[in-house]
Amino acid sequence: MLAPIPWAGRVWALPVLTALAPSERFCQERGRRHKTLLDWGRQMALQARRWLPERDLILVTDSGFSALLFLDAMRRGGITAITRLRLDAALYEPAPMRLPGTLGRPRRKGARLPTLAEVLAATSTHWQTVRVPGWYGAAERTIEITSATAVWQHGGLLVVPIRWVLIRDPLNRFAPQALLCTDPTRDPAQIVRWFVRRWQVEVTFQEARSHLGIETQRQWSDKAIARTTPCLLALFSIVTLMAGRLPARERRQVAQAAWYRKPQPTFSDALAAVRLAIWREQAFVTSRRRSNSTKVRFALPDAWAYALCHAA
């Protein structure tokens, strides 16, 4: 399945895996074992790894997947996971090499490192200026980052080696935030660019829900639910690809509202442009086969048709 990134005059497509995640109450009523979102996410990511053993898989998630057990499973599965990291996370140096003849259990971590909140406040921290294109759907944004490697461990759980990236805005337009990557060899600037792309996928699902009814449809059959969501996502792809084939003047039309102005077309504009093109072919184009026709058929004005396309 293809999930196009939000409409902005260019068409990019990303492969998307979807899975139904029943609630805990739903599973209890039917006597089934409940699987959390972490379980579903781990299963889907590892399944993608089995399907694509030679590909470099980058998994970008929100803070709900910032769990050590999940991140360790991604690391062992050869999947690079990128997610948010708390500024007060317990970070440590790697465990020192075990000397010959040392008794007892081997150490799992080294000395405690300063928290990212302390790194943020320290005047000795070296910051690197980076330009990130497409910052959360906007234009290019200039930010400052600093990065290092560490191991993350908490409460007797697994130890996961990570690369953390601390981000701040020189103009203080957003609060400082931190990211982690389970592959310590990745470039910090590339980690930030990968994470920003997650916003485009989120907007894709939001647009599909607002304009195509995904997650709001009502069916009585489990099979109907499993079929409808992929079909609606496929419809999103079809609309976006069809809009990309329209003339530039039609696909760049933007509906302006009284309370804000859109600098670029969105999916709603692409959907209206595709509707208008289809309606013209089906109903608004007069037949050219009869050259001697005397009766003039009514043609809907373009302004009316465009307004109806947005209201449909």
Side-chain angles (χ1 to χ4, degrees), residues 30-49:
R30 290 159 178 78
R32 301 178 183 177
R33 182 178 65 88
H34 175 62
K35 296 170 62 175
T36 64
L37 291 178
L38 288 174
D39 297 331
W40 284 109
R42 180 177 63 253
Q43 181 178 345
M44 294 175 64
L46 296 179
Q47 181 63 52
R49 167 52 68 201

Side-chain angles (χ1 to χ4, degrees), residues 159-173:
V159 177
V160 179
I162 64 170
R163 170 172 288 279
W164 56 264
V165 182
L166 189 58
I167 307 171
R168 74 176 185 182
D169 186 5
L171 302 179
N172 295 323
R173 288 169 292 185

Side-chain angles (χ1 to χ4, degrees), residues 99-265:
L99 300 177
T102 304
L103 301 178
R105 298 175 57 186
R107 296 185 60 178
R108 303 174 60 194
K109 60 182 184 296
R112 177 71 182 266
L113 295 173
T115 64
L116 298 184
E118 296 173 348
V119 174
L120 178 65
T123 57
S124 59
T125 302
H126 176 70
W127 295 93
Q128 175 187 359
T129 302
V130 175
R131 295 181 180 270
V132 181
W135 178 268
Y136 289 97
E140 185 179 66
R141 177 71 64 89
T142 300
I143 61 174
E144 294 179 343
I145 64 173
T146 184
S147 178
T149 59
V151 295
W152 185 24
Q153 196 269 344
H154 176 72
L157 297 176
L158 299 173
V159 177
V160 179
I162 64 170
R163 170 172 288 279
W164 56 264
V165 182
L166 189 58
I167 307 171
R168 74 176 185 182
D169 186 5
L171 302 179
N172 295 323
R173 288 169 292 185
F174 61 87
Q177 53 186 282
L179 307 176
L180 70 85
C181 178
T182 55
D183 187 354
T185 63
R186 298 289 184 175
D187 179 63
Q190 184 61 56
I191 293 174
V192 177
R193 295 188 182 99
W194 278 331
F195 187 79
V196 170
R197 293 182 185 179
R198 169 179 156 264
W199 172 257
Q200 299 170 328
V201 179
E202 289 185 353
V203 173
T204 295
F205 282 95
Q206 176 62 28
E207 296 281 6
R209 181 170 184 173
S210 300
H211 302 288
L212 300 181
I214 192 173
E215 295 182 351
T216 60
Q217 68 270 13
R218 296 182 179 181
Q219 293 92 9
W220 296 101
S221 171
D222 292 342
K223 292 183 178 180
I225 298 175
R227 293 167 181 167
T228 304
T229 299
C231 288
L232 292 177
L233 284 176
L235 178 61
F236 190 100
S237 303
I238 293 172
V239 170
T240 305
L241 295 174
M242 289 180 64
R245 298 179 64 89
L246 295 177
R249 181 180 179 182
E250 295 183 14
R251 69 170 182 262
R252 293 176 182 173
Q253 289 185 349
V254 178
Q256 300 293 349
W259 58 92
Y260 75 99
R261 296 183 62 86
K262 291 188 294 186
Q264 292 181 340

